[in-house]
Amino acid sequence: MPTKKNEPEMTSSVFVALVGRPNVGKSSLTNRLVGEKVAIVTQKPQTTRNRIMGIVTKGPVQYVLMDTPGIHKPRNKLDARMTQTASASLADVDVTLMLFEPAGDFTESELTMVEALRKAGPAIAVVNKVDLLSDFAALEARKKKIEEFGVFDRVLALSARDGTGCDEIFSILKPYGSPGPHYFDDDAYTDLPEKELVAELVREKALLFLRDEIPHGIAVTVESFKERPDKDLVDISVEIYCERKSHKGMIIGKGGQMLKKIASAARTDCEELLGTKVNLQCWVKIREDWRDNERQLDNLGFAKP
């Protein structure tokens, strides 16, 4: 039925969980769909630790995308919280996008998630990274294997990296929405406070620059965030926590060079995010075995699902 003149269109919201194995491209797809960097992205698995919300408003429809930690076998209490966060997200949404690699065996954690989706509600499968495939038959075979689960309403193929196939996602998600007012301002693109975005940008640079054994033992918090009243400048003090004295030395680096490299790269992104000059000070502290300490996890902001 057409909308009467001067009568506003009915608004609706679609809550969407993005789930899948580590490094399958959930954060890249979230950023691609939002058009802003709301989730940090690296080649290292388990980059996302908490549920991160990206918001896209297209006319009367608001899409709320929940980027979740990668599903994997937990090795410590932090991993357990991450996996539980991904699983708990299924109950909070209208539809789930489960991302898959374009080839390879399904992991035990993936198969467990598929079974959870069988009971949770509507789900759509997404074969990501199709830009890596040169054989159309291989893609069709992959899609057929996923269809055989009998869980997904449909199977999409796309590339979050170059945008192939991403444009149609919103029209596919729209029917799953619920009528009602938008939950966020129409110009919002995330629910994360600026302080948390800054902390994530610093952690991203640490993940990019440090050796493999160190980054996942790192947590970052913003201790102070002050705008100077007399100039276009924000003073930010960040603390980087690690688990070992030897790790602290590696993060700081010879003559402080590694820490300066991390801080300099993060400052550039922070200035782009905040639209102002940033004076970023980074400090490194030790919290032994924080990933297996419930109180430390609470203090560092890792929410229980």
Side-chain angles (χ1 to χ4, degrees):
M1 183 175 179
T3 303
K4 294 179 182 178
K5 191 174 182 180
N6 298 326
E7 183 179 312
E9 285 189 78
M10 177 80 71
T11 58
S12 64
S13 297
V14 190
F15 282 76
V16 186
L18 284 79
V19 302
R21 67 200 288 180
N23 216 28
V24 74
K26 299 179 297 296
S27 296
S28 295
L29 182 57
T30 300
N31 290 342
R32 168 71 64 177
L33 296 177
V34 173
E36 298 282 353
K37 186 174 182 175
V38 296
I40 63 173
V41 178
T42 75
Q43 293 300 312
K44 291 178 174 141
Q46 300 161 38
T47 297
T48 301
R49 286 175 169 171
N50 282 314
R51 186 167 66 182
I52 294 171
M53 198 174 287
I55 302 159
V56 184
T57 303
K58 291 183 174 291
V61 186
Q62 186 169 85
Y63 302 86
V64 183
L65 310 171
M66 298 182 181
D67 177 19
T68 65
I71 48 174
H72 60 286
K73 187 174 182 180
R75 294 169 298 176
N76 50 52
K77 290 177 180 177
L78 172 62
D79 284 357
R81 287 197 186 192
M82 290 163 59
T83 302
Q84 290 163 12
T85 294
S87 298
S89 297
L90 303 184
D92 300 333
V93 297
D94 299 304
V95 60
T96 299
L97 293 180
M98 183 167 180
L99 276 68
F100 292 92
E101 295 284 349
D105 295 332
F106 302 114
T107 67
E108 181 181 339
S109 296
E110 283 180 306
L111 296 176
T112 300
M113 179 61 76
V114 167
E115 289 308 305
L117 287 170
R118 201 180 296 280
K119 304 170 186 176
I124 296 168
V126 176
V127 180
N128 189 25
K129 306 180 185 177
V130 296
D131 54 303
L132 301 180
L133 290 174
S134 57
D135 185 354
F136 180 77
L139 174 59
E140 290 306 302
R142 184 64 162 179
K143 290 171 69 175
K144 188 172 186 301
K145 280 187 177 181
I146 294 170
E147 287 168 354
E148 288 172 356
F149 286 130
V151 170
F152 301 102
D153 289 355
R154 61 193 300 169
V155 182
L156 308 179
L158 56 79
S159 168
R161 187 181 68 83
D162 67 16
T164 300
C166 292
D167 290 343
E168 66 174 324
I169 287 185
F170 292 112
S171 61
I172 291 170
L173 294 175
K174 184 177 178 179
Y176 294 94
S178 303
H182 293 167
Y183 288 79
F184 303 95
D185 292 340
D186 286 0
D187 61 353
Y189 64 87
T190 184
D191 68 331
L192 283 181
E194 289 179 337
K195 287 176 65 173
E196 289 189 34
L197 288 168
V198 167
E200 284 290 274
L201 289 173
V202 173
R203 189 167 68 87
E204 177 185 57
K205 304 314 174 191
L207 283 166
L208 290 170
F209 298 145
L210 291 168
R211 287 162 51 183
D212 288 346
E213 69 268 24
I214 303 173
H216 295 302
I218 283 177
V220 180
T221 61
V222 173
E223 298 303 308
S224 68
F225 187 105
K226 297 178 181 178
E227 298 181 28
R228 293 196 194 180
D230 57 335
K231 58 175 65 177
D232 190 20
L233 180 68
V234 179
D235 292 300
I236 303 175
S237 179
V238 167
E239 292 188 352
I240 301 172
Y241 295 98
C242 60
E243 294 179 304
R244 303 280 185 272
K245 185 176 180 180
S246 59
H247 289 178
K248 179 178 179 179
M250 293 177 191
I251 296 167
I252 295 172
K254 187 176 181 180
Q257 289 304 305
M258 177 55 73
L259 187 58
K260 289 177 183 176
K261 184 179 179 181
I262 293 169
S264 178
R267 184 182 67 249
T268 299
D269 280 8
C270 289
E271 289 180 341
E272 182 177 345
L273 168 71
L274 301 172
T276 184
K277 291 290 185 182
V278 170
N279 173 33
L280 179 63
Q281 299 293 322
C282 295
W283 311 92
V284 184
K285 296 187 176 182
I286 300 169
R287 287 193 181 183
E288 293 188 1
D289 297 322
W290 64 263
R291 287 181 292 176
D292 261 326
N293 186 304
E294 297 285 3
R295 181 177 293 179
Q296 296 270 32
L297 290 171
D298 289 340
N299 290 340
L300 290 169
F302 296 102
K304 290 181 179 178

